Amino acid sequence: MTTAPSASPDLSAVPDAELLRLDHQVCFSLHAASRAFGGYYRRALKDLGLTYSQYLVMLVLWEQGPQSVKALGERLHLDSGTLSPLLKRLEGAGLVRRERSREDERSVVVDLTGEGAGLRERALSIPRGVLAATGLSLEEVLGLQDILGRLTGALGEAVDDD
Amino acid sequence: MTTAPSASPDLSAVPDAELLRLDHQVCFSLHAASRAFGGYYRRALKDLGLTYSQYLVMLVLWEQGPQSVKALGERLHLDSGTLSPLLKRLEGAGLVRRERSREDERSVVVDLTGEGAGLRERALSIPRGVLAATGLSLEEVLGLQDILGRLTGALGEAVDDD
DNA sequence: CACAACTAAGTTGTGCACAACTCAATAGGG
DNA sequence: CCCTATTGAGTTGTGCACAACTTAGTTGTG
């Protein structure tokens, strides 16, 4: 396959105004897709009494068991300002326990209660529905994940070295 | 090139538990990418005094001129509950004007002030930096947009017919 | 014309995301 | 050993997203 000329234009030759329009399209489509996902989950998770973000936390706990708030935050890219109140709500709902670590009193370990662990059974049917609702093939989903992962990594680095 | 067998497995043969893991990665990677984007823009837009969402609204106004809150909401997939306070803040910052339409007193038309229109010049340099920070080629960006657009559409429909 | 149905904005309440901060516990260097 | 720097959670304040609701204005129908 030869290089398609129109598919890899010299970026520096594209005028600012054109890029502003493109930017509109890109950040908008990402933002919109993320919120559309949120909307789907909001309905799917209503029965379980979970929000989208709470579901993400539960997924980590179901997969990887008890861990500190810090570890959860690293996996989910969230800080304590977001996690602390969220975990409090999960605790209030009886799904998790929070306990100060004995080895390091600064650390709080989050663990599933029996009810929290049991909720996993009811969550098992959700992903198939989501996958169907996306209308994407498995290949497309995997390709999407790959690009999104690289995007997140690159943007994170760009922010780090300010 | 022949079809790669592992790339299109029979989805119904994949166990629920496996999908719960995959699912984690899909919704999570989108969520994470969206927030990483937001983080980049937060810094890039600090000088302009805009948030990410305010920037999206300004992009629409720069491109398409004065329009009702409803029209803005349709373009951005946002409702008045989100837009009303956001527009109030933009008005407070002196970037937009809000005026009741004379033809239809229910409707409020949002228009750029001179200052708001002028801000576009300072925004012109942003997209090039973002594009560079993503580390993606223009083809990948366009492909991403395409998939995200279909995703949003499909999820929206899935939610509509509940 | 009257009045019921609908529509456009705005308000209220809940939850998430994140910056900036506090506080207590720990680790490390002199 | 002390004491300074760092770390882990949590709190506070701001803004976004959205459901549910209110209010005012418009449309359509009998």
Side-chain angles (χ1 to χ4, degrees), chain A residues 38 40-59 62 86 89-91 93-96 112 115-116 119-120 122-123 126:
Chain A
Y40 183 91
Y41 276 100
R42 192 168 302 117
R43 280 170 176 75
L45 294 169
K46 207 170 186 178
D47 287 348
L48 308 194
L50 292 176
T51 66
Y52 185 41
S53 297
Q54 289 166 5
Y55 173 68
L56 292 177
V57 168
M58 294 300 283
L59 282 177
W62 286 328
L86 188 157
R89 281 186 284 271
L90 285 179
E91 189 178 42
L95 300 176
V96 307
L112 291 166
E115 192 182 345
L119 201 61
R120 180 172 181 276
R122 297 213 280 144
I126 290 179

Side-chain angles (χ1 to χ4, degrees), chain A residues 51 53-54 77-79 81-82 86 89 103-106:
Chain A
T51 66
S53 297
Q54 289 166 5
H77 300 185
L78 291 172
D79 66 7
T82 299
L86 188 157
R89 281 186 284 271
E103 301 105 60
D104 185 342
E105 291 272 338
R106 290 171 303 183

Side-chain angles (χ1 to χ4, degrees), chain A residues 55-77 109-112 117 120, chain B residues 17 20-22 24-25 28:
Chain A
Y55 173 68
L56 292 177
V57 168
M58 294 300 283
L59 282 177
V60 173
L61 292 175
W62 286 328
E63 269 188 52
Q64 285 148 25
Q67 55 200 284
S68 68
V69 173
K70 177 182 168 57
L72 270 175
E74 275 165 2
R75 291 198 182 286
L76 295 170
H77 300 185
V109 174
V110 181
D111 195 3
L112 291 166
R120 180 172 181 276
Chain B
L20 200 61
R21 281 163 42 82
L22 177 65
H24 175 169
Q25 291 164 30
F28 172 67

Side-chain angles (χ1 to χ4, degrees), chain B residues 8-142:
Chain B
S8 47
D10 181 2
L11 202 53
S12 61
V14 180
D16 280 342
E18 191 60 32
L19 285 181
L20 200 61
R21 281 163 42 82
L22 177 65
D23 168 75
H24 175 169
Q25 291 164 30
V26 182
C27 59
F28 172 67
S29 58
L30 189 57
H31 200 57
S34 178
R35 280 165 31 235
F37 233 67
Y40 183 92
Y41 276 99
R42 191 167 303 117
R43 280 169 177 76
L45 293 170
K46 207 169 185 182
D47 287 349
L48 307 195
L50 293 176
T51 65
Y52 186 42
S53 297
Q54 287 167 7
Y55 174 66
L56 292 177
V57 169
M58 293 300 283
L59 282 173
V60 172
L61 291 175
W62 285 329
E63 267 183 38
Q64 285 148 27
Q67 55 200 285
S68 68
V69 172
K70 177 182 169 55
L72 269 174
E74 275 166 1
R75 292 193 187 288
L76 296 168
H77 299 187
L78 291 172
D79 66 7
S80 68
T82 300
L83 282 173
S84 287
L86 189 157
L87 291 169
K88 240 183 192 171
R89 282 186 283 271
L90 285 179
E91 189 178 41
L95 300 176
V96 307
R97 250 187 307 272
R98 291 185 304 156
E99 235 174 295
R100 286 272 156 199
S101 163
R102 238 81 65 209
E103 300 107 59
D104 185 342
E105 290 274 336
R106 290 172 303 183
S107 177
V108 167
V109 173
V110 181
D111 195 3
L112 291 166
T113 61
E115 193 182 344
L119 202 61
R120 181 173 180 276
E121 300 310 310
R122 296 213 282 143
L124 281 173
S125 64
I126 290 179
R128 206 175 297 275
V130 177
L131 210 50
T134 62
L136 299 181
S137 71
L138 205 49
E139 291 105 317
E140 286 177 311
V141 168
L142 295 174

Side-chain angles (χ1 to χ4, degrees), chain A residues 124-146:
Chain A
L124 281 172
S125 65
I126 290 179
R128 208 176 294 277
V130 175
L131 213 49
T134 63
L136 299 182
S137 72
L138 204 50
E139 289 102 320
E140 285 177 313
V141 168
L142 294 174
L144 180 61
Q145 270 182 235
D146 172 60

